[in-house]
Amino acid sequence: MGLAPEIRPPQPDPTMRDYYRRTIAFARDTMRQPVKAGRDLHFSDLAFFLRFARPIWRVGVLALIATALVSAAKTVLPLSIKFFIDNVLLGETPDPGSLLAGAGGLLSSLNTLILALLVLGIFTGGMDLIRNYWTARFREDYAFNLQTALFEHVLSFPLSYFKSQQTGYILSRLSDDVQILQYTISQYLPQIVANALYVIFAFAILCTLNLRLTFVVVAFIPLYLLVNAVFIRRIRAATYRERERQAYVSRDLAEVITGIETVKSHAAEDREVHKVSRTLRDMVDARIRNTMLSAASEYFRIGTMSLMLIAVFWFGGNEVLAGAMTIGDFVAFAVYIVTFAPTVNTFFAFPVVMQPALTSAARLRDLFAMHGEPGAAPGTGGTLPGAVQGRIEFSGVWFGYSRENPVLRDANFVVRPGEVVAVVGRTGAGKTTLVNLILRAFVPQEGTIALDGRDLASLDPRWLRRQVSIVSQDLFLFHTTIEDNIRYSRPGATFEEVAEAARKAQIHDDIMRFPEGYQTVVGERGTQVSVGQRQRIAIARAFLKDAPILILDEPTSALDMQTEAQIRQTLRVLVRNRTTILVSHRPSLLDLTNRVLSIEDGRVQEFRGADVTIIPGTGCRYHTPGGSVVP
C-alpha cells in the first residue's frame, strides 16, 4: 500500500498576495507626512481674492444679515420644548432668577406657544428664501468677477507661454480650479457662516440652561482640533496631486481630440487609449487617496461627536436625578446637543473640506502672479506711437529656444518702409521664428529689434500687432460664419468691405457657391472648408485689416498653380505701399520682392530679389545670374 499523499496547507494566491501588498503600501503612502506640494496661501493671498467681492459687497452684507436672522430663529426653536414641558405640561412657575423667566411666563399658555411657533416658522421660511437669493446672487457674481479677471489676465501672457503649454492643461487651470472655488463658495461658505452663528447663539443658550454641562461640551473641542492637525496637510497635498493629474488628463484628452485625424490615419486608437489610461490611473489613485483621507478625518470627528453626546447624557442625567436640573432644561439641552454636535462637527471640519478650495485658490494665485506682456493691459505701460512708417531693423539679434542651440546668430538687417523682403531657408532654419520675434511672441536674448527707430520692447504689444496683417501657414478659423471669420481682423467693417476683401483674395465666388453664402459656418478650426479656402479666407482678413506692415508666411502653400497665379496678381496690389515680409518656398513669388534674406545655420545673408533664383530640389541654395551657387 502506497504512502498517503502529503497534505499541504493552502498557499496564498500570488495575485491576491500582491494585491494585499499593494493595498497596504497604498494606505501607508496615503497617511505618510506629505512633502510640501504647491505653495501655501498667505493672508495677502486671501486679501487678494477679496478684491473680486468689492463690487458686490452690499449683496454679501445682505446675505450675511439674512443668514444671521435665520440662524437666530433656528436656535430659538428648541427652547419651545423646555417651555412646553416645564411651563405647559408640568405647570411649573419660571425661576425668577433665570434669564428665560420672562419668556417662560409669556409662553406658559399652549395657544400662545403654538401661535409663537407658527410666527417663528413663517419668519424663518421667508427669511431663508431671501437668504438663498442673496447668497446665490453673491456666489454667481463673485465667480463671474473672478473668472473674467482670470481670463483677461491669462490672455495678457506672452505668446511664448501658450506655445510652451498644451491647450488642455491651460483650459483645466482656467475652468476646473474656478469651478472648485465656486462650489466651495456656494456650498461651504454659506453653511459655515450659518453654522458659526448657530454655534454662537446655541452656546449662549446652553450656558443659560446649565453652565456645568456646557463645560463638558467645551472639553471635547481639543479633540476636534487634534483631528484637524493630523489630516489638514495630508488632504491639502493629496488635493494638489489630484488637481495636477486632472489637468494632465484634460491636456492629453484635448491633444487626442484635436489630432483625431492623425490618430485614425495611423490606426493609433489603442496607443492613445493606453497613454490616456495611464494618466487617468494616476488621477484615480490621487482621488482615492484624497477620498480616504477625508473619510478618515470624518470618522474621527463623528467618533468625537458620539463621545460628546454620551458624556452629555451621563452628566445631564445625573443632574436631573440630583434635582439640579429640570426635565425641560435637560430635554432642551439634549435637543440642542443633537443639533449642536453635527453643527460643531461641520464647523471643525471646515478647515479640512476647504483644502480643495485652498489648493485651487493657490493655483489660481500662481496664475495671477505670472506677469503678462508689458503694456498688454490698460495702464501697464508701453509706448503708443503715432503714424507707422514701417522700418524694421534687427541689430545683433541672438535667439534660441535653448541657449545651447541658437536659431538666429547675430542677425543684422533692415527692412525699409514700403519694401517687400523675402525670407527663405531650409525647413527649421528659423523663418517663422524671425516672424514671431517681430510680433513679440518671443524676446531676443541679445540685440534689439526696432520699428521706426523704437525698440519693440518699449512698445505696447497690442498696438504693435494692430499694425501688422499676417497670413500664417498655421491656418486657424473660428467656429462661426465665413463673414465673421473675415471680419475678425476688423470688427467694425461693413459687409460690403468684407465682400470686397474676399474678392481680392479670390474666395468670393467659392463662398457664393455655399448654400448659406457668407453665413456658412466653417466648423471647428474651419474643417467644413478646404485647406485652400481656409488660406484664402486668411488672406481676405489681411486685405480687410489693411495694416501698414504685412507678413505673409507661406501664403500660397495650400493653393493650386492656377489659384496661386490669381493670388499672386492680387498680392501685387496688397503689398503696394506697405512694408512686407514674405516667407515662402515658392519660386514664383520671388518676383514680388526687392530683396531676399537667406537664413543658413542661424546666419542671415542678404541678396537682391532680381539676382536670385531658387533651384528646385536644392533646398535653400540660390543661383545668381553670374552662374555661381550660393549656399
Side-chain angles (χ1 to χ4, degrees):
M1 192 168 63
L3 297 175
E6 180 182 359
I7 300 176
R8 296 182 180 180
Q11 299 296 315
D13 184 355
T15 303
M16 292 302 297
R17 185 169 53 203
D18 291 343
Y19 175 78
Y20 292 141
R21 187 182 295 117
R22 288 196 301 269
T23 301
I24 294 172
F26 184 86
R28 187 186 303 116
D29 182 63
T30 299
M31 290 304 298
R32 183 180 295 125
Q33 186 71 8
V35 177
K36 185 176 181 180
R39 68 181 190 87
D40 294 328
L41 277 180
H42 303 291
F43 180 78
S44 59
D45 296 321
L46 298 177
F48 171 83
F49 283 102
L50 286 177
R51 70 174 62 182
F52 304 110
R54 287 173 189 163
I56 53 173
W57 69 269
R58 291 181 177 85
V59 177
V61 170
L62 290 172
L64 186 61
I65 292 173
T67 300
L69 292 174
V70 171
S71 298
K74 289 181 178 180
T75 307
V76 171
L77 188 61
L79 273 179
S80 61
I81 297 175
K82 167 186 166 51
F83 300 137
F84 180 73
I85 294 174
D86 288 344
N87 304 115
V88 176
L89 294 183
L90 300 180
E92 295 181 359
T93 303
D95 183 2
S98 172
L99 296 175
L100 301 176
L106 181 64
L107 300 175
S108 58
S109 167
L110 180 61
N111 293 335
T112 305
L113 179 61
I114 296 300
L115 180 61
L117 289 176
L118 286 174
V119 172
L120 183 63
I122 294 172
F123 173 81
T124 304
M127 189 56 62
D128 202 28
L129 286 175
I130 296 173
R131 177 187 66 83
N132 285 328
Y133 170 77
W134 290 121
T135 300
R137 172 63 64 186
F138 180 82
R139 175 190 71 223
E140 299 302 328
D141 286 349
Y142 181 88
F144 172 81
N145 294 341
L146 171 61
Q147 196 153 26
T148 301
L150 177 64
F151 186 58
E152 181 181 12
H153 180 69
V154 169
L155 286 184
S156 73
F157 290 173
L159 287 172
S160 56
Y161 172 82
F162 298 97
K163 291 178 180 294
S164 65
Q165 298 287 345
Q166 290 175 291
T167 303
Y169 182 81
I170 296 175
L171 291 177
S172 176
R173 296 292 298 271
L174 282 173
S175 61
D176 293 347
D177 288 323
V178 174
Q179 288 175 2
I180 291 295
L181 204 59
Q182 182 183 16
Y183 178 80
T184 302
I185 291 173
S186 64
Q187 297 296 322
Y188 291 118
L189 283 184
Q191 183 180 6
I192 198 63
V193 170
N195 287 345
L197 292 172
Y198 184 86
V199 167
I200 293 171
F201 297 146
F203 184 77
I205 294 176
L206 290 177
C207 290
T208 303
L209 292 174
N210 192 299
L211 186 59
R212 283 178 295 182
L213 203 54
T214 303
F215 286 148
V216 173
V217 175
V218 173
F220 284 88
I221 291 179
L223 283 178
Y224 283 105
L225 299 178
L226 177 61
V227 172
N228 286 350
V230 171
F231 286 98
I232 282 179
R233 284 193 62 198
R234 290 173 171 83
I235 291 178
R236 174 88 186 277
T239 302
Y240 184 86
R241 288 196 297 266
E242 179 188 341
R243 292 288 178 275
E244 280 295 301
R245 281 152 181 77
Q246 187 172 344
Y248 296 155
V249 169
S250 298
R251 174 199 65 188
D252 291 350
L253 289 175
E255 184 177 49
V256 173
I257 297 302
T258 302
I260 190 63
E261 292 184 6
T262 303
V263 172
K264 286 190 171 296
S265 65
H266 290 80
E269 291 91 341
D270 291 340
R271 275 183 285 158
E272 295 301 333
V273 168
H274 182 65
K275 183 178 73 173
V276 172
S277 69
R278 288 201 308 267
T279 312
L280 274 171
R281 172 53 58 190
D282 291 339
M283 185 193 73
V284 167
D285 287 345
R287 187 169 289 172
I288 291 173
R289 285 189 175 92
N290 202 352
T291 301
M292 294 309 298
L293 284 169
S294 299
S297 65
E298 183 68 12
Y299 171 80
F300 284 108
R301 279 193 301 272
I302 291 176
T304 302
M305 181 184 71
S306 300
L307 289 175
M308 182 173 66
L309 288 173
I310 292 171
V312 166
F313 285 135
W314 191 81
F315 283 103
N318 284 325
E319 289 276 300
V320 173
L321 292 175
M325 191 176 189
T326 67
I327 296 177
D329 284 346
F330 175 74
V331 173
F333 198 100
V335 171
Y336 272 114
I337 290 302
V338 169
T339 57
F340 178 79
T343 302
V344 170
N345 183 35
T346 303
F347 182 77
F348 282 104
F350 180 67
V352 175
V353 299
M354 276 295 291
Q355 292 311 304
L358 292 176
T359 300
S360 294
R363 285 159 55 87
L364 291 174
R365 189 68 181 97
D366 288 339
L367 279 181
F368 277 113
M370 293 178 61
H371 296 295
E373 297 175 295
T380 59
T383 304
L384 300 174
V388 174
Q389 301 300 317
R391 176 187 171 90
I392 300 172
E393 181 175 2
F394 277 57
S395 301
V397 171
W398 287 72
F399 177 79
Y401 300 100
S402 65
R403 288 194 172 272
E404 296 76 19
N405 298 299
V407 178
L408 294 180
R409 304 168 183 263
D410 194 26
N412 293 275
F413 63 88
V414 176
V415 181
R416 289 177 283 274
E419 195 175 29
V420 181
V421 173
V423 179
V424 295
R426 292 184 175 87
T427 300
K431 304 183 296 296
T432 301
T433 297
L434 186 145
V435 169
N436 285 330
L437 286 169
I438 295 174
L439 292 171
R440 273 189 61 182
F442 301 102
V443 178
Q445 290 151 353
E446 293 183 30
T448 59
I449 305 173
L451 173 63
D452 295 341
R454 296 183 178 90
D455 190 343
L456 293 189
S458 68
L459 300 177
D460 185 310
R462 293 185 181 179
W463 175 89
L464 171 65
R465 291 160 193 157
R466 291 189 189 104
Q467 314 311 312
V468 181
S469 294
I470 181 167
V471 179
S472 173
Q473 60 181 329
D474 184 17
L475 304 172
F476 185 90
L477 298 182
F478 291 93
H479 184 54
T480 183
T481 64
I482 294 175
E483 179 183 351
D484 288 340
N485 268 289
I486 297 176
R487 187 183 278 117
Y488 195 80
S489 62
R490 209 176 96 208
T494 64
F495 173 76
E496 288 73 19
E497 292 171 321
V498 170
E500 179 62 24
R503 290 188 184 93
K504 292 179 179 178
Q506 307 294 322
I507 187 62
H508 174 76
D509 292 341
D510 285 27
I511 295 173
M512 297 310 296
R513 292 190 189 100
F514 290 118
E516 302 293 330
Y518 279 86
Q519 299 307 308
T520 300
V521 176
V522 300
E524 186 173 3
R525 301 182 68 90
T527 54
Q528 299 303 312
V529 295
S530 69
V531 175
Q533 289 169 334
R534 291 204 297 268
Q535 195 152 35
R536 281 178 284 164
I537 289 173
I539 293 173
R541 281 180 182 169
F543 274 109
L544 184 63
K545 189 173 184 180
D546 195 26
I549 299 172
L550 176 65
I551 295 178
L552 303 172
D553 189 358
E554 300 287 0
T556 61
S557 61
L559 304 181
D560 56 66
M561 298 302 294
Q562 180 180 358
T563 306
E564 181 186 330
Q566 296 172 340
I567 288 291
R568 188 167 65 251
Q569 300 306 316
T570 311
L571 291 179
R572 290 186 184 278
V573 178
L574 180 60
V575 302
R576 190 176 301 162
N577 299 322
R578 72 183 79 236
T579 303
T580 304
I581 295 177
L582 170 64
V583 178
S584 180
H585 286 101
R586 297 288 182 100
S588 58
L589 294 181
L590 283 184
D591 61 353
L592 299 175
T593 66
N594 305 108
R595 290 182 295 131
V596 173
L597 299 177
S598 167
I599 304 177
E600 188 77 20
D601 294 328
R603 303 289 181 180
V604 179
Q605 302 180 60
E606 182 177 331
F607 304 94
R608 290 187 58 81
D611 297 335
V612 178
T613 302
I614 297 180
I615 303 176
T618 61
C620 290
R621 292 185 293 171
Y622 310 97
H623 189 273
T624 66
S628 60
V629 176
V630 183

